[in-house]
Structures are given as structure tokens and as C-alpha cells.
Short mmCIF file of all heavy atoms in Angstrom, two decimals:
data_model
loop_
_atom_site.label_atom_id
_atom_site.label_comp_id
_atom_site.label_asym_id
_atom_site.label_seq_id
_atom_site.Cartn_x
_atom_site.Cartn_y
_atom_site.Cartn_z
N MET A 5 125.76 81.59 83.83
CA MET A 5 124.39 81.43 84.25
C MET A 5 123.69 82.80 84.11
O MET A 5 124.21 83.81 84.55
CB MET A 5 124.35 80.95 85.70
CG MET A 5 122.96 80.73 86.20
SD MET A 5 122.97 80.19 87.92
CE MET A 5 122.44 78.53 87.71
N SER A 6 122.53 82.80 83.53
CA SER A 6 121.81 84.05 83.32
C SER A 6 120.97 84.41 84.54
O SER A 6 120.72 83.58 85.41
CB SER A 6 120.92 83.96 82.08
OG SER A 6 119.91 83.00 82.30
N LYS A 7 120.54 85.64 84.58
CA LYS A 7 119.73 86.12 85.70
C LYS A 7 118.31 85.55 85.64
O LYS A 7 117.83 85.16 84.58
CB LYS A 7 119.62 87.65 85.66
CG LYS A 7 120.91 88.37 85.94
CD LYS A 7 120.64 89.86 85.92
CE LYS A 7 121.85 90.67 86.25
NZ LYS A 7 121.57 92.10 86.22
N HIS A 8 117.70 85.53 86.78
CA HIS A 8 116.29 85.14 86.85
C HIS A 8 115.48 86.19 86.09
O HIS A 8 115.83 87.38 86.11
CB HIS A 8 115.86 85.09 88.32
CG HIS A 8 114.49 84.53 88.52
ND1 HIS A 8 113.36 85.30 88.43
CD2 HIS A 8 114.07 83.26 88.79
CE1 HIS A 8 112.29 84.54 88.66
NE2 HIS A 8 112.70 83.31 88.88
N PRO A 9 114.39 85.81 85.43
CA PRO A 9 113.60 86.79 84.66
C PRO A 9 113.15 88.00 85.48
O PRO A 9 113.04 89.10 84.95
CB PRO A 9 112.39 85.98 84.19
CG PRO A 9 112.88 84.58 84.13
CD PRO A 9 113.89 84.45 85.24
N LEU A 10 112.90 87.84 86.76
CA LEU A 10 112.48 88.97 87.58
C LEU A 10 113.64 89.92 87.89
O LEU A 10 113.41 91.06 88.26
CB LEU A 10 111.86 88.48 88.89
CG LEU A 10 110.56 87.71 88.75
CD1 LEU A 10 110.09 87.22 90.11
CD2 LEU A 10 109.49 88.58 88.11
N ASP A 11 114.88 89.43 87.74
CA ASP A 11 116.04 90.26 88.01
C ASP A 11 116.46 91.11 86.82
O ASP A 11 117.33 91.95 86.95
CB ASP A 11 117.22 89.40 88.46
CG ASP A 11 116.96 88.76 89.82
OD1 ASP A 11 116.20 89.36 90.60
OD2 ASP A 11 117.52 87.69 90.08
N HIS A 12 115.88 90.90 85.67
CA HIS A 12 116.22 91.68 84.48
C HIS A 12 115.55 93.04 84.53
O HIS A 12 114.47 93.20 85.11
CB HIS A 12 115.77 90.95 83.20
CG HIS A 12 116.59 89.75 82.89
ND1 HIS A 12 117.80 89.82 82.24
CD2 HIS A 12 116.39 88.44 83.14
CE1 HIS A 12 118.30 88.62 82.10
NE2 HIS A 12 117.45 87.74 82.64
N ASP A 13 116.18 94.01 83.92
CA ASP A 13 115.60 95.35 83.84
C ASP A 13 114.55 95.36 82.74
O ASP A 13 114.84 95.08 81.58
CB ASP A 13 116.69 96.38 83.54
CG ASP A 13 116.16 97.79 83.54
OD1 ASP A 13 115.11 98.02 84.17
OD2 ASP A 13 116.79 98.66 82.92
N HIS A 14 113.33 95.66 83.10
CA HIS A 14 112.23 95.66 82.13
C HIS A 14 111.80 97.06 81.76
O HIS A 14 110.68 97.28 81.33
CB HIS A 14 111.03 94.89 82.69
CG HIS A 14 111.31 93.44 82.89
ND1 HIS A 14 111.45 92.55 81.86
CD2 HIS A 14 111.52 92.72 84.03
CE1 HIS A 14 111.70 91.34 82.34
NE2 HIS A 14 111.76 91.43 83.66
N GLY A 15 112.68 98.03 81.97
CA GLY A 15 112.36 99.40 81.61
C GLY A 15 111.69 100.13 82.74
O GLY A 15 111.43 99.58 83.81
N PRO A 16 111.40 101.38 82.51
CA PRO A 16 110.82 102.19 83.59
C PRO A 16 109.38 101.78 83.91
O PRO A 16 108.60 101.49 83.01
CB PRO A 16 110.87 103.60 83.04
CG PRO A 16 110.88 103.44 81.56
CD PRO A 16 111.59 102.16 81.28
N SER A 17 109.09 101.74 85.17
CA SER A 17 107.72 101.45 85.59
C SER A 17 107.18 102.62 86.40
O SER A 17 106.32 102.45 87.24
CB SER A 17 107.67 100.16 86.41
OG SER A 17 108.46 100.31 87.57
N LYS A 18 107.74 103.79 86.15
CA LYS A 18 107.37 104.98 86.90
C LYS A 18 105.88 105.30 86.74
O LYS A 18 105.22 105.69 87.70
CB LYS A 18 108.21 106.16 86.44
CG LYS A 18 108.03 107.40 87.26
CD LYS A 18 108.98 108.50 86.82
CE LYS A 18 108.76 109.75 87.62
NZ LYS A 18 109.60 110.85 87.18
N GLY A 19 105.35 105.12 85.56
CA GLY A 19 103.94 105.42 85.32
C GLY A 19 103.02 104.57 86.17
O GLY A 19 102.04 105.06 86.74
N ARG A 20 103.34 103.29 86.27
CA ARG A 20 102.52 102.39 87.09
C ARG A 20 102.61 102.76 88.56
O ARG A 20 101.61 102.74 89.28
CB ARG A 20 102.97 100.94 86.89
CG ARG A 20 102.65 100.40 85.52
CD ARG A 20 103.11 98.98 85.36
NE ARG A 20 102.37 98.12 86.27
CZ ARG A 20 102.75 96.90 86.61
NH1 ARG A 20 103.86 96.39 86.12
NH2 ARG A 20 102.04 96.18 87.44
N LEU A 21 103.82 103.09 89.00
CA LEU A 21 104.01 103.46 90.39
C LEU A 21 103.25 104.74 90.73
O LEU A 21 102.61 104.83 91.78
CB LEU A 21 105.50 103.64 90.70
CG LEU A 21 105.85 104.05 92.12
CD1 LEU A 21 105.39 102.99 93.12
CD2 LEU A 21 107.33 104.28 92.25
N GLU A 22 103.30 105.71 89.85
CA GLU A 22 102.59 106.96 90.09
C GLU A 22 101.08 106.74 90.16
O GLU A 22 100.40 107.32 91.01
CB GLU A 22 102.92 107.98 89.00
CG GLU A 22 104.32 108.54 89.12
CD GLU A 22 104.68 109.48 87.98
OE1 GLU A 22 103.92 109.55 86.98
OE2 GLU A 22 105.73 110.12 88.09
N LYS A 23 100.55 105.90 89.30
CA LYS A 23 99.12 105.60 89.33
C LYS A 23 98.73 104.88 90.61
O LYS A 23 97.69 105.16 91.21
CB LYS A 23 98.72 104.76 88.12
CG LYS A 23 98.76 105.52 86.82
CD LYS A 23 98.42 104.64 85.65
CE LYS A 23 98.55 105.39 84.34
NZ LYS A 23 98.32 104.53 83.19
N PHE A 24 99.59 103.95 91.03
CA PHE A 24 99.33 103.21 92.25
C PHE A 24 99.33 104.13 93.47
O PHE A 24 98.42 104.08 94.30
CB PHE A 24 100.37 102.11 92.44
CG PHE A 24 100.25 101.37 93.74
CD1 PHE A 24 99.27 100.41 93.92
CD2 PHE A 24 101.11 101.65 94.79
CE1 PHE A 24 99.14 99.74 95.11
CE2 PHE A 24 100.99 100.98 95.99
CZ PHE A 24 100.01 100.03 96.15
N THR A 25 100.35 104.97 93.58
CA THR A 25 100.43 105.87 94.74
C THR A 25 99.29 106.89 94.73
O THR A 25 98.77 107.25 95.78
CB THR A 25 101.79 106.59 94.82
OG1 THR A 25 102.04 107.24 93.58
CG2 THR A 25 102.90 105.62 95.11
N ALA A 26 98.89 107.35 93.56
CA ALA A 26 97.77 108.29 93.47
C ALA A 26 96.48 107.63 93.95
O ALA A 26 95.68 108.24 94.68
CB ALA A 26 97.61 108.80 92.05
N ALA A 27 96.28 106.38 93.56
CA ALA A 27 95.08 105.65 93.99
C ALA A 27 95.10 105.42 95.49
O ALA A 27 94.07 105.52 96.17
CB ALA A 27 94.99 104.32 93.25
N GLU A 28 96.27 105.10 96.04
CA GLU A 28 96.38 104.88 97.48
C GLU A 28 96.14 106.17 98.26
O GLU A 28 95.46 106.17 99.28
CB GLU A 28 97.76 104.31 97.83
CG GLU A 28 97.91 102.86 97.49
CD GLU A 28 97.01 101.97 98.32
OE1 GLU A 28 97.02 102.09 99.55
OE2 GLU A 28 96.27 101.18 97.73
N LYS A 29 96.69 107.26 97.79
CA LYS A 29 96.54 108.54 98.49
C LYS A 29 95.11 109.06 98.40
O LYS A 29 94.65 109.79 99.28
CB LYS A 29 97.50 109.57 97.92
CG LYS A 29 98.93 109.32 98.33
CD LYS A 29 99.85 110.39 97.76
CE LYS A 29 101.28 110.13 98.17
NZ LYS A 29 102.20 111.13 97.61
N ALA A 30 94.39 108.69 97.35
CA ALA A 30 93.01 109.15 97.19
C ALA A 30 92.12 108.61 98.31
O ALA A 30 91.18 109.28 98.73
CB ALA A 30 92.48 108.73 95.82
N GLY A 31 92.42 107.43 98.80
CA GLY A 31 91.61 106.82 99.84
C GLY A 31 92.10 107.10 101.25
O GLY A 31 91.63 106.50 102.20
N MET A 32 93.07 107.99 101.40
CA MET A 32 93.64 108.26 102.72
C MET A 32 93.11 109.54 103.30
O MET A 32 92.98 110.51 102.57
CB MET A 32 95.16 108.34 102.63
CG MET A 32 95.82 107.05 102.34
SD MET A 32 97.58 107.31 102.35
CE MET A 32 98.16 105.69 102.56
N PRO A 33 92.91 109.65 104.54
CA PRO A 33 92.76 108.53 105.45
C PRO A 33 91.42 107.84 105.22
O PRO A 33 90.47 108.47 104.77
CB PRO A 33 92.84 109.16 106.84
CG PRO A 33 92.36 110.55 106.64
CD PRO A 33 92.76 110.93 105.25
N SER A 34 91.38 106.58 105.53
CA SER A 34 90.16 105.82 105.28
C SER A 34 89.07 106.25 106.27
O SER A 34 89.32 106.92 107.27
CB SER A 34 90.43 104.32 105.43
OG SER A 34 90.72 104.03 106.78
N ALA A 35 87.87 105.83 106.00
CA ALA A 35 86.73 106.18 106.87
C ALA A 35 86.93 105.61 108.27
O ALA A 35 86.60 106.26 109.26
CB ALA A 35 85.44 105.67 106.26
N ALA A 36 87.49 104.40 108.35
CA ALA A 36 87.72 103.78 109.65
C ALA A 36 88.74 104.59 110.46
O ALA A 36 88.58 104.78 111.67
CB ALA A 36 88.22 102.35 109.47
N THR A 37 89.77 105.09 109.80
CA THR A 37 90.77 105.90 110.48
C THR A 37 90.16 107.20 110.99
O THR A 37 90.42 107.61 112.12
CB THR A 37 91.94 106.21 109.53
OG1 THR A 37 92.50 104.98 109.07
CG2 THR A 37 93.01 107.01 110.21
N ARG A 38 89.34 107.82 110.18
CA ARG A 38 88.70 109.07 110.62
C ARG A 38 87.80 108.84 111.82
O ARG A 38 87.75 109.65 112.74
CB ARG A 38 87.93 109.69 109.46
CG ARG A 38 88.83 110.32 108.42
CD ARG A 38 88.04 111.17 107.45
NE ARG A 38 87.07 110.40 106.70
CZ ARG A 38 87.26 109.88 105.50
NH1 ARG A 38 88.41 110.08 104.89
NH2 ARG A 38 86.33 109.19 104.90
N GLU A 39 87.08 107.72 111.83
CA GLU A 39 86.21 107.40 112.96
C GLU A 39 87.03 107.19 114.24
O GLU A 39 86.64 107.64 115.31
CB GLU A 39 85.36 106.16 112.67
CG GLU A 39 84.25 106.42 111.69
CD GLU A 39 83.24 107.43 112.22
OE1 GLU A 39 82.88 107.39 113.41
OE2 GLU A 39 82.83 108.31 111.43
N LEU A 40 88.14 106.51 114.12
CA LEU A 40 88.99 106.29 115.29
C LEU A 40 89.55 107.60 115.82
O LEU A 40 89.71 107.78 117.03
CB LEU A 40 90.14 105.33 114.96
CG LEU A 40 89.76 103.87 114.80
CD1 LEU A 40 90.94 103.07 114.28
CD2 LEU A 40 89.28 103.31 116.13
N GLN A 41 89.86 108.53 114.92
CA GLN A 41 90.41 109.81 115.35
C GLN A 41 89.36 110.65 116.08
O GLN A 41 89.71 111.49 116.90
CB GLN A 41 90.95 110.58 114.14
CG GLN A 41 92.19 109.95 113.57
CD GLN A 41 92.63 110.59 112.26
OE1 GLN A 41 91.91 111.41 111.69
NE2 GLN A 41 93.80 110.21 111.79
N LYS A 42 88.09 110.41 115.81
CA LYS A 42 87.02 111.17 116.46
C LYS A 42 86.73 110.68 117.87
O LYS A 42 86.20 111.41 118.69
CB LYS A 42 85.73 111.07 115.64
CG LYS A 42 85.78 111.82 114.33
CD LYS A 42 84.49 111.63 113.57
CE LYS A 42 84.56 112.23 112.18
NZ LYS A 42 83.33 111.95 111.42
N ARG A 43 87.07 109.43 118.16
CA ARG A 43 86.78 108.85 119.47
C ARG A 43 87.58 109.54 120.58
O ARG A 43 88.70 109.99 120.37
CB ARG A 43 87.16 107.37 119.50
CG ARG A 43 86.23 106.48 118.74
CD ARG A 43 86.62 105.05 118.99
NE ARG A 43 85.90 104.16 118.11
CZ ARG A 43 86.11 102.86 118.08
NH1 ARG A 43 87.03 102.30 118.84
NH2 ARG A 43 85.40 102.11 117.27
N GLU A 44 86.97 109.57 121.75
CA GLU A 44 87.68 110.12 122.90
C GLU A 44 88.75 109.13 123.35
O GLU A 44 88.51 107.92 123.39
CB GLU A 44 86.69 110.36 124.04
CG GLU A 44 87.31 111.03 125.23
CD GLU A 44 86.30 111.33 126.30
OE1 GLU A 44 85.11 111.50 125.98
OE2 GLU A 44 86.71 111.39 127.47
N ARG A 45 89.90 109.65 123.67
CA ARG A 45 90.99 108.78 124.11
C ARG A 45 90.79 108.39 125.57
O ARG A 45 90.25 109.16 126.36
CB ARG A 45 92.33 109.49 123.97
CG ARG A 45 92.68 109.76 122.55
CD ARG A 45 94.03 110.40 122.47
NE ARG A 45 94.34 110.69 121.08
CZ ARG A 45 95.55 110.75 120.61
NH1 ARG A 45 96.58 110.56 121.38
NH2 ARG A 45 95.76 111.01 119.33
N THR A 46 91.24 107.18 125.88
CA THR A 46 91.17 106.76 127.27
C THR A 46 92.26 107.49 128.05
O THR A 46 93.37 107.68 127.56
CB THR A 46 91.38 105.24 127.40
OG1 THR A 46 92.59 104.89 126.75
CG2 THR A 46 90.23 104.48 126.78
N LYS A 47 91.91 107.90 129.24
CA LYS A 47 92.85 108.67 130.06
C LYS A 47 93.30 107.85 131.25
O LYS A 47 92.56 107.00 131.75
CB LYS A 47 92.19 109.97 130.53
CG LYS A 47 91.81 110.87 129.38
CD LYS A 47 91.06 112.09 129.86
CE LYS A 47 90.64 112.93 128.66
NZ LYS A 47 89.68 113.94 128.98
N GLY A 48 94.50 108.12 131.68
CA GLY A 48 95.01 107.45 132.88
C GLY A 48 95.31 105.99 132.63
O GLY A 48 95.79 105.60 131.56
N ASP A 49 95.00 105.18 133.61
CA ASP A 49 95.31 103.76 133.53
C ASP A 49 94.09 102.92 133.17
O ASP A 49 93.99 101.76 133.55
CB ASP A 49 95.94 103.28 134.84
CG ASP A 49 95.04 103.50 136.04
OD1 ASP A 49 94.02 104.21 135.88
OD2 ASP A 49 95.34 102.96 137.11
N ALA A 50 93.16 103.50 132.43
CA ALA A 50 91.95 102.77 132.06
C ALA A 50 92.27 101.55 131.21
O ALA A 50 91.67 100.49 131.38
CB ALA A 50 90.99 103.70 131.31
N LYS A 51 93.24 101.69 130.31
CA LYS A 51 93.61 100.55 129.47
C LYS A 51 94.20 99.43 130.32
O LYS A 51 93.89 98.25 130.12
CB LYS A 51 94.62 100.96 128.41
CG LYS A 51 94.02 101.70 127.25
CD LYS A 51 95.06 101.92 126.17
CE LYS A 51 94.46 102.62 124.98
NZ LYS A 51 95.42 102.79 123.90
N LEU A 52 95.05 99.80 131.25
CA LEU A 52 95.67 98.80 132.12
C LEU A 52 94.61 98.05 132.92
O LEU A 52 94.65 96.83 133.03
CB LEU A 52 96.67 99.46 133.07
CG LEU A 52 97.38 98.55 134.05
CD1 LEU A 52 98.19 97.50 133.31
CD2 LEU A 52 98.26 99.35 134.98
N LYS A 53 93.64 98.77 133.45
CA LYS A 53 92.56 98.12 134.20
C LYS A 53 91.75 97.19 133.31
O LYS A 53 91.37 96.10 133.73
CB LYS A 53 91.65 99.18 134.82
CG LYS A 53 92.28 99.92 135.97
CD LYS A 53 91.35 100.96 136.54
CE LYS A 53 91.99 101.72 137.68
NZ LYS A 53 91.13 102.78 138.21
N ALA A 54 91.51 97.61 132.08
CA ALA A 54 90.74 96.77 131.16
C ALA A 54 91.51 95.49 130.83
O ALA A 54 90.94 94.40 130.80
CB ALA A 54 90.43 97.53 129.89
N TYR A 55 92.80 95.60 130.60
CA TYR A 55 93.61 94.42 130.28
C TYR A 55 93.69 93.47 131.46
O TYR A 55 93.61 92.25 131.30
CB TYR A 55 95.01 94.82 129.84
CG TYR A 55 95.07 95.45 128.47
CD1 TYR A 55 95.77 96.62 128.26
CD2 TYR A 55 94.43 94.87 127.38
CE1 TYR A 55 95.83 97.20 127.00
CE2 TYR A 55 94.47 95.44 126.13
CZ TYR A 55 95.18 96.61 125.95
OH TYR A 55 95.24 97.18 124.70
N THR A 56 93.86 93.99 132.66
CA THR A 56 93.95 93.10 133.81
C THR A 56 92.60 92.44 134.09
O THR A 56 92.56 91.30 134.53
CB THR A 56 94.43 93.86 135.07
OG1 THR A 56 93.60 94.99 135.30
CG2 THR A 56 95.87 94.32 134.90
N LYS A 57 91.52 93.13 133.81
CA LYS A 57 90.20 92.54 133.98
C LYS A 57 90.04 91.37 133.01
O LYS A 57 89.54 90.30 133.38
CB LYS A 57 89.12 93.59 133.73
CG LYS A 57 87.72 93.07 133.92
CD LYS A 57 86.70 94.17 133.68
CE LYS A 57 85.30 93.62 133.82
NZ LYS A 57 84.28 94.65 133.55
N ILE A 58 90.46 91.56 131.78
CA ILE A 58 90.38 90.49 130.77
C ILE A 58 91.21 89.30 131.22
O ILE A 58 90.79 88.15 131.14
CB ILE A 58 90.86 90.99 129.40
CG1 ILE A 58 89.87 92.03 128.85
CG2 ILE A 58 91.02 89.84 128.41
CD1 ILE A 58 90.38 92.78 127.62
N GLU A 59 92.42 89.58 131.73
CA GLU A 59 93.30 88.51 132.16
C GLU A 59 92.70 87.73 133.32
O GLU A 59 92.73 86.51 133.34
CB GLU A 59 94.65 89.09 132.57
CG GLU A 59 95.68 88.03 132.89
CD GLU A 59 97.03 88.65 133.18
OE1 GLU A 59 97.56 89.32 132.29
OE2 GLU A 59 97.53 88.45 134.30
N LYS A 60 92.10 88.42 134.29
CA LYS A 60 91.50 87.75 135.44
C LYS A 60 90.32 86.89 135.03
O LYS A 60 90.16 85.77 135.49
CB LYS A 60 91.04 88.77 136.47
CG LYS A 60 92.17 89.44 137.21
CD LYS A 60 91.65 90.49 138.16
CE LYS A 60 92.77 91.26 138.81
NZ LYS A 60 92.27 92.34 139.66
N VAL A 61 89.51 87.38 134.12
CA VAL A 61 88.35 86.62 133.64
C VAL A 61 88.82 85.38 132.89
O VAL A 61 88.27 84.30 133.06
CB VAL A 61 87.45 87.49 132.74
CG1 VAL A 61 86.37 86.66 132.09
CG2 VAL A 61 86.82 88.61 133.55
N GLY A 62 89.86 85.52 132.08
CA GLY A 62 90.37 84.40 131.30
C GLY A 62 90.95 83.31 132.17
O GLY A 62 90.81 82.14 131.89
N VAL A 63 91.60 83.67 133.29
CA VAL A 63 92.25 82.70 134.15
C VAL A 63 91.23 81.93 134.98
O VAL A 63 91.27 80.73 135.09
CB VAL A 63 93.29 83.39 135.07
CG1 VAL A 63 93.84 82.44 136.10
CG2 VAL A 63 94.42 83.96 134.23
N SER A 64 90.27 82.65 135.55
CA SER A 64 89.33 81.99 136.44
C SER A 64 88.11 81.42 135.72
O SER A 64 87.45 80.57 136.24
CB SER A 64 88.84 82.99 137.51
OG SER A 64 88.14 84.04 136.90
N GLY A 65 87.84 81.93 134.51
CA GLY A 65 86.62 81.52 133.85
C GLY A 65 86.85 80.54 132.83
O GLY A 65 86.32 79.71 132.31
#
């Protein structure tokens, strides 16, 4: 039984991989990531309070 066509060696694809990684790295970090990094981080248990508030509203409302 022969191999599936995708399992055969089709030669080097290094050029395609290098172009792909270069294109991906060119867009890093994205604008959305930079905006998130600029935001002030929540301190203390603010996240916990926010999550419990959401949970209480969801249960009773």
C-alpha cells in the first residue's frame, strides 16, 4: 500500500516558510496588542469583584 499523497516528500518548502514567518513577524505586535499593553492594569481584587458582580446579576436577573 502506498503512502497518502500528503505523506510524500515534496521537496524543501523552506522558502515558503521563511516568507510566511517574515509576514507574520512584520505585523507583530498588532495594534490591538499595543493598545492593551498601554492600559492600566487592575490592582488588587478588582477582577474578582467584577466577576462576582456579573455572577450575582446573572443569577437574580
Side-chain angles (χ1 to χ4, degrees):
M5 181 181 250
S6 65
K7 292 182 177 180
H8 187 275
L10 294 177
D11 293 332
H12 288 278
D13 184 23
H14 296 288
S17 61
K18 187 176 178 183
R20 290 180 65 197
L21 179 61
E22 287 176 350
K23 289 178 184 176
F24 175 77
T25 54
E28 284 294 308
K29 287 181 180 179
M32 291 183 161
S34 68
T37 303
R38 286 192 298 266
E39 286 297 318
L40 286 172
Q41 290 172 351
K42 290 178 187 176
R43 287 186 189 176
E44 185 177 333
R45 294 183 182 208
T46 54
K47 297 175 183 167
D49 59 349
K51 283 187 178 183
L52 179 61
K53 288 180 181 177
Y55 288 132
T56 54
K57 182 179 178 182
I58 292 169
E59 186 175 299
K60 288 177 185 176
V61 171
V63 172
S64 64

